Amino acid sequence: MALKRPHAISFSKKNTVRPFEDATSLEFWAHKNDASMFVLGQSTKKRPNGLTIVRMFDGKLLDMCELGVDRFVSMYEFKTSKPQAGHKPMLHFASELFDTHPRFIQLKSLLMDLFNGEVIESIYLGGLEYVLSITVAPFPDMLASASDTQADGPLPTVHIRGYTVKLLASGQRVPRVELVPMGPSFDLSLRRHKPADAELWKVAMRRPKLKKQEVEKGLGKKRKNLEVDDMGDLRGRVHVAKQDLGKLQTRKMKGLKGGLGEERSESDGEGRPSKRNKTL
């Protein structure tokens, strides 16, 4: 939660949620909070210390992966400096399994979506404050070439470590970089998972028909008051001249006409109050 602040909401109320059996409650919360990802912490006798990463698309469950927390060290147990809230981390995946094994490919995709945050156009060197290093324990060579049907066997442990980036003078233009442990520290084991439906995944991965360069720069050739957003939708801006609201025609209401409901405080010459003026 501390790494995602302020772009995350923490639900502290204990609810009975079983995402692998019924995802209705998650889809409800996704619609209500406009959330595309969930991280659920659950602990049962059969599966203690469980952590489930759930990804949504269009308010529907896309895929998810359950992890077992074998070891955890909080950020606050490291007496070192912490990054500012809202900064994006650099992600380092140090294993070939993240490119070859189906289970680890899914985990890499989920972690990248979880920590990706807002898409930025340029990078400021001083804003790179921390790194999340994701490594895998030693594994046999045959595991790297496992297919989808062989992906459910015993899998190695995943290690996640957090480091603060410290830039030091090097006498050159490029500074010398040192990594200082800051937490959190996880040792995770892969448990159950639910892959994405092929048709829903195809829709979720659909890209706009515009070229990437046109999406990034607007429309390629600059057109006045027209731009293309990240989803490839064309948006325009319309400029309207200044309006004179004094000439604006409004609805005439009888109750707003002058004279009705008003009593004059002035009296006539004989000391009697004057009659009300009738408005026809």
Side-chain angles (χ1 to χ4, degrees):
M1 180 64 187
L3 294 177
K4 290 293 296 180
R5 190 179 292 117
H7 305 298
I9 303 174
S10 176
F11 294 127
S12 58
K13 185 177 179 180
K14 294 183 179 180
N15 297 310
T16 303
V17 181
R18 298 182 177 90
F20 286 90
E21 300 174 8
D22 184 14
T24 305
S25 58
L26 291 179
E27 293 177 354
F28 168 76
W29 288 110
H31 279 290
K32 186 174 182 179
N33 298 277
D34 192 21
S36 59
M37 296 204 70
F38 291 90
V39 178
L40 305 177
Q42 295 176 320
S43 183
T44 61
K45 184 177 181 180
K46 186 177 181 180
R47 298 181 179 89
N49 303 326
L51 197 67
T52 305
I53 304 177
V54 183
R55 179 164 49 188
M56 314 291 293
F57 173 74
D58 196 20
K60 299 179 182 179
L61 177 65
L62 182 62
D63 62 341
M64 55 184 167
C65 178
E66 184 183 29
L67 305 168
V69 182
D70 301 330
R71 178 177 173 272
F72 171 71
V73 181
S74 173
M75 291 178 59
Y76 303 104
E77 298 185 27
F78 291 85
K79 306 303 179 182
T80 56
S81 60
K82 303 297 186 291
Q84 298 181 8
H87 280 220
K88 296 176 59 173
M90 292 180 286
L91 298 178
H92 175 240
F93 294 91
S95 176
E96 61 176 328
L97 290 181
F98 291 112
D99 297 321
T100 58
H101 198 281
R103 292 294 307 276
F104 289 92
I105 292 175
Q106 182 194 33
L107 178 61
K108 177 182 178 180
S109 176
L110 289 170
L111 292 176
M112 290 183 65
D113 278 356
L114 180 63
F115 292 105
N116 184 37
E118 183 181 357
V119 178
I120 56 178
E121 298 181 355
S122 58
I123 299 177
Y124 172 58
L125 186 60
L128 303 177
E129 294 192 359
Y130 68 108
V131 181
L132 291 180
S133 177
I134 300 97
T135 59
V136 176
F139 56 90
D141 296 337
M142 60 178 299
L143 192 63
S145 59
S147 61
D148 293 342
T149 58
Q150 302 172 344
D152 295 329
L155 301 174
T157 304
V158 178
H159 306 283
I160 300 180
R161 302 290 184 266
Y163 300 94
T164 303
V165 177
K166 194 173 182 179
L167 302 179
L168 303 175
S170 62
Q172 301 177 359
R173 184 177 181 180
V174 180
R176 183 166 60 91
V177 179
E178 287 188 0
L179 300 180
V180 181
M182 71 156 195
S185 176
F186 290 94
D187 288 347
L188 306 174
S189 57
L190 275 68
R191 294 179 180 172
R192 297 179 295 176
H193 78 291
K194 178 179 174 57
D197 180 72
E199 293 298 326
L200 187 59
W201 180 263
K202 183 178 179 180
V203 176
M205 297 300 292
R206 184 178 298 167
R207 301 288 296 176
K209 294 183 179 180
L210 295 174
K211 296 180 180 179
K212 182 179 179 181
Q213 183 180 3
E214 294 177 347
V215 174
E216 294 176 349
K217 296 185 178 180
L219 285 175
K221 182 179 179 181
K222 194 68 176 178
R223 298 173 62 181
K224 190 174 181 180
N225 299 327
L226 291 176
E227 61 180 6
V228 177
D229 59 11
D230 294 336
M231 298 303 296
D233 297 328
L234 179 64
R235 296 183 178 273
R237 181 179 301 174
V238 179
H239 296 273
V240 181
K242 186 177 181 180
Q243 298 179 350
D244 186 5
L245 301 181
K247 298 180 180 180
L248 185 65
Q249 182 68 31
T250 59
R251 183 179 178 184
K252 296 181 179 180
M253 300 180 64
K254 188 175 181 181
L256 298 179
K257 293 182 179 180
L260 289 179
E262 297 180 0
E263 295 185 359
R264 297 183 179 275
S265 59
E266 299 179 358
S267 302
D268 56 7
E270 299 179 359
R272 293 176 299 178
S274 60
K275 296 180 179 180
R276 299 180 184 175
N277 296 328
K278 294 184 178 180
T279 303
L280 300 178

